[in-house]
Amino acid sequence: MDLFEDDAPERGGNAHEFTVSEISGAVKKTIEGEFGHVRVRGEVGRVTVARTGHMYFDLKDDRSVLASVSWKGQVAKLTHRPEEGMEVIATGRMTTFGPQSRYQLNVEDVVPAGAGALMAMLEKRRQALAAEGLFDAGRKQPIPYLPEIIGVVTSPTGAVIRDILHRLRDRFPRKVLVWPVAVQGKSSAVEVAAAIRGFNAMTPGGALPRPDLLIVARGGGSIEDLWGFNEEIVVRAAAESAIPLISAVGHETDTTLIDHASDRRAPTPTAAAEMAVPVRSELQATVAQFGARLGQCSRAGLDRRAERLRDLARGLPRMDALLAPYQQRFDAVETRLPGALRGAISAKRIELSEHPLRPGLVMRPLERSRDRLAAVAARLPGAHQSGLAQKRLRLTGLRLNPGALDAALKRERRDFDRLAARLRPELVLDRVGRLRERLAALERLRGTLGYEATLARGYAVVRGDGHVVTDRASAQAATSLEIEFRDGRMQVGPASAKPRRATATTPPEQGTLL
């Protein structure tokens, strides 16, 4: 009995054996066939974006968690990016991930689960951006009073742009640059942000001048229609704008996040045009009124000053009364002047005649000096001849005579002849020959130790992009390679060319010898 029981086949031993991959494939086929297209409502849990661009997140309720994934191409097409804590409705298909034995939802689109969720997400985003200081009043710029060029970011086909242009034309015609964008849909936020940054990137005074004021406008709509102006990329572009910006999105009761980040909010696009420019006729009337007031004030001031001047002039004495005493003094001085001049000349003449330096006294010293000069001139020729004779005798007594100079010259010539005899041509040629042999020996040693001799034994130098390659990684990274052989170089790669002959002037480089 025991032997029979031991030999009996095990229970279920004849059942089919599945491999792990077969079981995984069967489960995958069952799940994808049963749940090919589903819409799942839940709260978004953790959200992770991989470096590849794929997004992984969880959908959960109070009892279960469903792993979800959106591939890179699907992430770019999502209507709303899932954020942790949002309640959403995800549309996609169920699939499995065999390597980890789990099922997951491949999400193709995500929408908030009702307006309440949208408003909660909007409030959360508003608080986060406000915490960064993007809505601070200190960041806002004043709107220019009369801009030369106005940039408008809106749809080119809607009624908004026509209302803005019509209102500007009625109030004060200005140059307008329109940047067409989609004001609704998935691409709306990206295009609006790109338009704001594009206007700011223009060069002032260039071929297409940079605007002095920007208007971001759109007509009214539901919160979903205006959602593009609540995106973070649009809010940051508006806050970073160096050009003053007016937001005119929706009707008066509509509020978006770009309204908080802009420098001025207009309740409607038409109101934005009214904020941008003043009324030309009113401005002209105001200027005319100011001009008239300025003229009246100027005339009144001149009249008051003229009257004051006349009052002061009546208190001054007459001019002839002021000048009469001085004229009388001048006449008296004029009558005394001739007699005074004659008296002064007479007094100076008497004073000069009694002065010690009379002409007779001056001439006597002058005659004595002239006599001494004549006596010295008479003795000068004899003294000159005597001095020359003394100098000649002193020169004759010196040792610098022609005979001594000739003897010294002969001695120097003999010394020079002895030195020339020592410098014979054969001795010079012999020394040059020894130096040439030494140079040849050094050249042979250089050729033996140089890398050209190594190339002659079958090695080669590899260069990549002009630099010596010493390892495999550098060779793979180079766009082209150059190999130097014994008889020349060869180019390998896109810049291939005929091998060029290595020359003696090519400087040897340390490199890889193959």
Side-chain angles (χ1 to χ4, degrees):
M1 187 65 180
D2 294 337
L3 293 176
F4 179 78
E5 291 178 355
D6 290 339
D7 294 338
E10 295 181 2
R11 184 178 180 182
N14 60 346
H16 178 70
E17 296 179 351
F18 293 94
T19 64
V20 174
S21 298
E22 289 174 345
I23 287 293
S24 179
V27 171
K28 180 181 181 68
K29 185 181 298 183
T30 301
I31 291 178
E32 291 182 353
E34 186 68 22
F35 303 98
H37 181 79
V38 294
R39 298 177 74 243
V40 181
R41 180 172 183 151
E43 181 182 344
V44 178
R46 60 173 183 83
V47 179
T48 304
V49 180
R51 288 185 298 175
T52 56
H54 308 320
M55 179 183 292
Y56 301 91
F57 58 95
D58 293 334
L59 290 176
K60 60 184 179 179
D61 56 16
D62 56 346
R63 289 179 295 177
S64 302
V65 177
L66 175 62
S68 305
V69 60
S70 286
W71 308 123
K72 180 179 180 180
Q74 295 171 331
V75 171
K77 299 177 181 179
L78 292 178
T79 304
H80 296 276
R81 290 178 67 92
E83 299 179 7
E84 187 172 356
M86 288 177 56
E87 185 177 1
V88 299
I89 299 176
T91 303
R93 57 186 181 86
M94 294 297 300
T95 183
T96 63
F97 184 59
Q100 294 184 3
S101 299
R102 71 177 186 183
Y103 63 92
Q104 61 188 12
L105 176 63
N106 183 10
V107 179
E108 299 173 355
D109 194 15
V110 174
V111 294
L118 277 178
M119 296 305 297
M121 182 178 64
L122 180 62
E123 179 61 21
K124 180 181 178 181
R125 184 177 297 172
R126 188 193 65 79
Q127 294 177 358
L129 295 176
E132 296 183 25
L134 298 183
F135 303 156
D136 291 347
R139 297 174 55 95
K140 300 185 183 299
Q141 308 175 70
I143 303 300
Y145 180 71
L146 187 60
E148 288 291 333
I149 302 171
I150 300 175
V152 180
V153 180
T154 188
S155 172
T157 58
V160 171
I161 185 61
R162 292 195 297 272
D163 293 342
I164 293 176
L165 294 177
H166 181 266
R167 197 59 176 162
L168 290 175
R169 187 164 52 249
D170 288 345
R171 291 175 65 86
F172 205 121
R174 297 281 85 185
K175 295 179 181 178
V176 177
L177 293 179
V178 179
W179 194 301
V181 297
V183 294
Q184 182 177 338
K186 298 179 180 180
S187 62
S188 172
V190 177
E191 293 184 13
V192 172
I196 296 174
R197 293 193 171 101
F199 273 131
N200 279 270
M202 290 182 177
T203 304
L208 193 60
R210 178 181 175 181
D212 304 313
L213 176 67
L214 296 183
I215 298 177
V216 179
R218 187 206 186 281
S222 63
I223 185 173
E224 291 82 3
D225 296 335
L226 304 178
W227 192 257
F229 298 91
N230 291 318
E231 294 292 347
E232 183 176 345
I233 185 174
V234 175
V235 176
R236 293 189 181 277
E240 296 167 1
S241 176
I243 305 174
L245 186 145
I246 299 177
S247 65
V249 178
H251 295 308
E252 188 168 358
T253 57
D254 297 326
T255 302
T256 56
L257 294 184
I258 192 176
D259 295 334
H260 300 288
S262 61
D263 300 302
R264 190 83 174 270
R265 176 186 178 268
T268 61
T270 303
E274 295 176 353
M275 293 179 183
V277 294
V279 179
R280 184 173 185 176
S281 58
E282 295 179 357
L283 185 61
Q284 290 174 339
T286 303
V287 171
Q289 182 181 1
F290 287 160
R293 291 174 59 186
L294 178 61
Q296 293 174 0
C297 293
S298 300
R299 287 191 297 272
L302 291 175
D303 293 341
R304 286 195 301 270
R305 286 168 176 79
E307 184 178 357
R308 179 62 175 166
L309 182 60
R310 288 191 297 270
D311 294 342
L312 293 175
R314 283 194 295 269
L316 293 174
R318 296 191 306 274
M319 184 176 62
D320 53 355
L322 292 174
L323 297 179
Y326 299 100
Q327 289 177 349
Q328 187 176 0
R329 288 178 58 186
F330 180 77
D331 294 338
V333 171
E334 184 182 10
T335 56
R336 294 198 305 268
L337 182 60
L341 289 176
R342 287 192 295 270
I345 292 173
S346 300
K348 295 297 181 182
R349 184 179 291 112
I350 295 172
E351 183 180 356
L352 181 61
S353 62
E354 297 177 353
H355 199 276
L357 294 177
R358 293 191 293 276
L361 297 176
V362 175
M363 291 303 295
R364 282 195 293 272
L366 184 60
E367 290 176 355
R368 288 196 296 270
S369 297
R370 188 180 291 112
D371 294 340
R372 286 197 302 271
L373 180 61
V376 171
R379 295 196 304 270
L380 182 60
H384 179 63
Q385 293 297 331
S386 175
L388 287 178
Q390 292 175 2
K391 296 292 184 181
R392 189 177 290 111
L393 290 174
R394 190 180 296 112
L395 180 62
T396 305
L398 294 176
R399 291 182 296 177
L400 295 175
N401 52 58
L405 292 176
D406 290 340
L409 184 61
K410 289 178 181 180
R411 287 195 302 272
E412 296 295 335
R413 186 176 287 111
R414 285 195 300 270
D415 293 342
F416 178 75
D417 292 339
R418 285 197 302 270
L419 290 175
R422 293 173 61 186
L423 295 174
R424 294 193 303 275
E426 55 272 15
L427 295 178
V428 175
L429 294 176
D430 181 53
R431 181 169 178 77
V432 170
R434 290 197 303 272
L435 292 176
R436 185 178 289 110
E437 291 177 358
R438 185 179 177 186
L439 180 62
L442 292 176
E443 176 62 22
R444 289 193 298 274
L445 180 61
R446 187 199 66 78
T448 303
L449 299 179
Y451 79 106
E452 292 87 353
T454 306
L455 296 179
R457 294 197 300 271
Y459 291 89
V461 178
V462 179
R463 296 179 178 85
D465 297 334
H467 303 284
V468 175
V469 176
T470 59
D471 50 37
R472 178 178 179 183
S474 300
Q476 291 177 341
T479 58
S480 63
L481 297 176
E482 182 185 64
I483 304 178
E484 180 179 358
F485 299 98
R486 174 181 60 82
D487 55 348
R489 298 185 182 186
M490 181 181 72
Q491 194 80 16
V492 179
S496 299
K498 294 183 179 180
R500 50 191 177 96
R501 189 72 177 179
T503 62
T505 60
T506 303
E509 305 178 48
Q510 285 187 337
T512 302
L513 296 178
L514 301 178

